[in-house]
Amino acid sequence: MKEYIVSARKYRPMTFDSVVGQTALTTTLKNAVKSGKLAHAYLFCGPRGVGKTTCARIFAKAINCEHPSADGDACNECESCKAFQEQRSYNMFELDAASNNGVEQIKTLMEQTRIPPQVGRYKVFIIDEVHMLSTSAFNAFLKTLEEPPAHVIFILATTEKHKILPTIISRCQIYDFERMTVPNIINHLKMVAQQENITYEEDALNVIAEKADGGMRDALSIFDQAVSFCQGNITYQKVIEDLNVLDSENYFKIIDLSLENQVSDVMVLLNSVISKGFDGGHLINGLAQHVRNVLMAKDEQTLPLLEVSQQQVNKYKEQAKKCPTRFLYQALKLMNQCDLGYRQSSNKRLLVELTLIEIAQLTQEDDTPAAGRSPKRLKSLFKKLIKNVQPPKAAQQVVAAEPKPLHTARVNAQHPDTSTPSPTPKLKIGSLGMSFANLRKSNDSNSTTGETPIEAVPDDQQQFTEEEMLIQWVAMCQRMPQQMAGIAARMRNMRPRITEYPHIEAVVDNQILLDQMNAIHGRIRSTLAKALHNNEITLNLQLAQADEVTKVLSRKEIFEEMSTKNPAISKLRGLLDLELT
């Protein structure tokens, strides 16, 4: 039986031209060989399986070739080239720094550099995974690396450049190898499949290339695994089954169903994916990558950013035509939030379900808000009610001109208008024409008829409570212009009260704040009157007495005081893992 050799070794490049995806680097090395301008030390950096050691071996063979070609490649026919190919050359030494990382191994290597080559011109020392050398070994290596014998060339290879001492890096020519692109990997796998007489589907090779994550060696290893499973006929379905990869059709279906707001179908699809053993977080990450690809497919300029086969590119372009750009942006944002909270979530499946529900409802109308999001307006609830109720006549009367409210000052300053707009009626319980007092009066006066007429309350005479007044006070402070941010922050800490309805009194801590508030007294009163729908409101500002001035507590201090009085609050905070904002 013929000895089996894995594809990663069998199809290892033997010339610079056969190296995949590193054209710029191989051209530079070929020109260096052709011109004879060779450095004494090279540093090859890059991810695993992209050709660092392979290029080092090809380079070592080329500089020792007795009859190099005109473009700098080795002839593969002279005695030196044959010795390299048969792995019996004494001019190339490979050291695995992962297992030989001590000072003694480096000293032994330094002793070998003193002996000149018997055949060829250079001795090449390839140190793989050089970042694994200890600090003392690096220091022992420094002097020889800086001034080696004329017949010695060092080639250092590493996947973690940042772990190498700067003093080592400064003595080398640095070559950064790139990750393999998906199209390059697919083309190389096609060549291997043709050489091995293996039939394949391009989508299957695309899955293998994506799984390899930019490494050609990984791609060839996965390819061999798929060949063994598929028995010489590599199909898409068999590959995703063998590699336990989620079918990309699921992502296309989820987006199509989300555009149609088919939440139930999305949940059924999610259940089928989870029942196959796939993790919900894996689905979210894959869907996020899919949506990103759809977004890139919307513009011809960003199509090269898709590292997929041409057949997949066409599918992404078709779906991109149906997807609004805003939908894709919002979906990516939701999935990013899900990914951030996935590990900390105690109910991971529920988190994934809620995320998919929100995505599936992004294209709904405003009056049917997405699940998990607070509605922007109560359209559906009050639509018929507003239509049937007519505003009372008293609310339509013109109100005497007063100082402009705080929250409209900036708008009117930017857009002056000579006309005075009529106040916009707002929907409140009182504006529906029914109150408990009116209901009792109507029951007493109309008990004989059994009818309950609705009495309209004028919009400028609405009653309000102290709690409602405090809410509108805080809302007014939050809407104050930017130039009043300082006074607004101090006013938020005040607690005005109703002395004799509808008269409001506010106690001010100091004279400076009192003067500032008196300057805008009319605007404060006008804003409260409009917000509370009562034009009879008066506002009295008083300076606090010495015994009335109290320290204004921060939110943290208020919480600590509450926790001292009631320890159950601290316990609840710990159980729910809450943070004070």
Side-chain angles (χ1 to χ4, degrees):
M1 184 177 179
K2 188 177 179 180
E3 182 182 0
Y4 173 72
I5 302 176
V6 296
S7 298
R9 290 179 55 198
K10 185 176 181 179
Y11 294 96
R12 191 168 208 160
M14 301 300 293
T15 63
F16 284 122
D17 292 335
S18 59
V19 177
V20 179
Q22 310 295 343
T23 306
L25 298 183
T26 55
T27 302
T28 305
L29 294 175
K30 285 166 62 176
N31 291 339
V33 174
K34 184 168 55 176
S35 63
K37 297 179 180 179
L38 303 177
H40 63 275
Y42 296 86
L43 178 61
F44 290 174
C45 314
R48 67 184 190 278
V50 294
K52 299 185 296 295
T53 306
T54 298
C55 284
R57 292 177 180 176
I58 296 173
F59 185 59
K61 182 175 67 172
I63 61 179
N64 281 293
C65 179
E66 298 176 4
H67 310 290
S69 61
D71 58 354
D73 266 320
C75 67
N76 294 324
E77 296 178 356
C78 64
E79 177 59 28
S80 177
C81 291
K82 290 180 180 179
F84 271 97
Q85 291 173 355
E86 296 171 6
Q87 298 182 1
R88 55 180 176 84
S89 175
Y90 289 101
N91 290 346
M92 184 176 69
F93 298 87
E94 289 194 35
L95 178 69
D96 180 20
S99 56
N100 301 279
N101 55 6
V103 177
E104 294 301 325
Q105 288 85 357
I106 292 298
K107 287 183 177 180
T108 303
L109 184 67
M110 297 305 99
E111 293 175 358
Q112 294 178 354
T113 61
R114 300 175 184 175
I115 305 173
Q118 302 302 312
V119 179
R121 288 174 291 178
Y122 297 98
K123 271 193 173 182
V124 182
F125 293 86
I126 301 173
I127 304 179
D128 206 4
E129 301 298 335
V130 69
H131 65 273
M132 298 293 287
L133 288 177
S134 62
T135 304
S136 55
F138 270 129
N139 293 330
F141 186 38
L142 276 175
K143 189 61 178 177
T144 305
L145 183 65
E146 184 176 11
E147 296 178 359
H151 59 269
V152 172
I153 291 179
F154 290 104
I155 302 178
L156 314 180
T158 179
T159 56
E160 301 185 44
K161 176 183 174 182
H162 60 280
K163 291 186 178 180
I164 301 177
L165 295 179
T167 49
I168 296 289
I169 294 178
S170 64
R171 289 166 167 81
C172 303
Q173 279 191 11
I174 302 172
Y175 290 78
D176 290 309
F177 285 69
E178 301 177 356
R179 291 174 64 253
M180 299 290 178
T181 62
V182 172
N184 282 341
I185 294 178
I186 292 176
N187 292 333
H188 190 67
L189 293 180
K190 287 180 179 179
M191 184 273 295
V192 174
Q194 291 173 359
Q195 293 288 333
E196 298 293 329
N197 295 322
I198 296 171
T199 58
Y200 59 87
E201 293 179 1
E202 188 166 343
D203 284 346
L205 297 184
N206 185 78
V207 173
I208 295 174
E210 290 180 356
K211 188 79 172 178
D213 193 26
M216 184 63 75
R217 183 173 60 238
D218 291 356
L220 291 171
S221 299
I222 298 171
F223 178 80
D224 288 343
Q225 177 183 338
V227 169
S228 298
F229 181 77
C230 301
Q231 292 296 312
N233 182 22
I234 302 178
T235 63
Y236 177 77
Q237 291 297 329
K238 288 184 179 180
V239 167
I240 63 174
E241 180 183 353
D242 181 38
L243 302 181
N244 196 30
V245 175
L246 186 59
D247 190 352
S248 61
E249 284 299 321
N250 291 299
Y251 302 136
F252 284 100
K253 288 180 182 177
I254 289 176
I255 297 302
D256 288 338
L257 293 173
S258 297
L259 292 174
E260 300 172 1
N261 309 127
Q262 301 293 333
V263 178
S264 301
D265 293 339
V266 173
M267 292 296 100
V268 172
L269 182 56
L270 171 63
N271 183 68
S272 66
V273 169
I274 294 178
S275 63
K276 294 177 183 177
F278 292 100
D279 182 61
H282 177 73
L283 173 67
I284 290 295
N285 289 331
L287 185 60
Q289 179 66 27
H290 174 83
V291 173
R292 177 260 182 194
N293 289 344
V294 174
L295 187 61
M296 295 300 104
K298 290 187 75 69
D299 193 338
E300 292 291 334
Q301 295 181 349
T302 54
L303 277 180
L305 300 179
L306 297 178
E307 293 189 349
V308 294
S309 64
Q310 186 58 44
Q311 186 175 356
Q312 287 289 98
V313 169
N314 295 334
K315 294 176 67 175
Y316 281 123
K317 290 172 67 175
E318 290 179 6
Q319 190 167 72
K321 296 176 182 177
K322 300 184 291 184
C323 295
T325 304
R326 183 176 178 82
F327 165 79
L328 298 175
Y329 287 151
Q330 292 176 334
L332 282 174
K333 183 178 180 180
L334 290 172
M335 286 183 286
N336 182 58
Q337 293 173 352
C338 177
D339 183 51
L340 292 175
Y342 188 78
R343 291 185 179 180
Q344 289 76 24
S345 176
S346 58
N347 192 340
K348 293 179 170 53
R349 175 163 182 168
L350 179 60
L351 177 63
V352 173
E353 289 177 342
L354 288 175
T355 302
L356 293 179
I357 289 173
E358 289 188 85
I359 293 173
Q361 296 184 343
L362 285 175
T363 56
Q364 281 188 350
E365 299 295 332
D366 288 341
D367 58 346
T368 50
R373 295 183 294 162
S374 57
K376 295 182 180 179
R377 53 181 79 85
L378 300 175
K379 280 188 177 180
S380 303
L381 185 59
F382 291 111
K383 188 180 295 182
K384 295 182 180 179
L385 189 59
I386 296 172
K387 189 180 297 183
N388 294 332
V389 176
Q390 299 294 332
K393 294 182 179 180
Q396 301 174 1
Q397 295 177 355
V398 178
V399 182
E402 291 191 5
K404 297 178 182 179
L406 291 173
H407 65 280
T408 61
R410 285 183 296 173
V411 178
N412 292 339
Q414 297 174 1
H415 305 283
D417 191 359
T418 55
S419 63
T420 303
S422 60
T424 305
K426 297 185 177 180
L427 179 64
K428 293 187 63 177
I429 298 300
S431 67
L432 301 182
M434 178 63 67
S435 65
F436 290 110
N438 294 335
L439 183 61
R440 285 194 296 269
K441 290 179 183 178
S442 60
N443 284 338
D444 294 339
S445 61
N446 299 285
S447 57
T448 56
T449 61
E451 297 179 356
T452 308
I454 297 177
E455 181 179 345
V457 177
D459 194 50
D460 59 351
Q461 297 179 10
Q462 300 285 336
Q463 294 199 4
F464 59 91
T465 63
E466 187 166 305
E467 182 179 358
E468 292 175 340
M469 181 268 296
L470 290 174
I471 292 174
Q472 295 301 332
W473 178 275
V474 174
M476 173 186 66
C477 295
Q478 292 176 342
R479 295 195 303 268
M480 290 176 69
Q482 183 64 32
Q483 59 267 27
M484 295 183 180
I487 186 175
R490 292 189 289 272
M491 286 176 60
R492 274 197 296 268
N493 295 326
M494 297 172 58
R495 188 177 178 85
R497 59 190 180 90
I498 300 176
T499 55
E500 182 179 353
Y501 185 86
H503 305 302
I504 301 174
E505 181 182 277
V507 179
V508 186
D509 292 342
N510 55 76
Q511 185 64 44
I512 296 177
L513 180 59
L514 179 62
D515 294 341
Q516 292 176 340
M517 293 182 64
N518 279 328
I520 57 173
H521 178 279
R523 295 167 67 183
I524 296 175
R525 194 211 72 82
S526 176
T527 302
L528 291 176
K530 185 173 182 179
L532 297 172
H533 299 274
N534 193 316
N535 288 331
E536 298 178 358
I537 288 177
T538 60
L539 177 64
N540 182 25
L541 301 177
Q542 288 190 353
L543 182 64
Q545 302 298 326
D547 56 346
E548 293 179 337
V549 177
T550 58
K551 178 184 177 182
V552 178
L553 301 179
S554 64
R555 293 183 178 182
K556 184 177 181 181
E557 292 172 336
I558 294 173
F559 178 79
E560 291 175 351
E561 183 177 344
M562 293 171 58
S563 302
T564 304
K565 295 180 181 179
N566 191 352
I569 295 177
S570 296
K571 185 177 180 181
L572 178 63
R573 177 188 179 183
L575 291 174
L576 298 179
D577 193 21
L578 301 177
E579 294 183 0
L580 189 64
T581 58

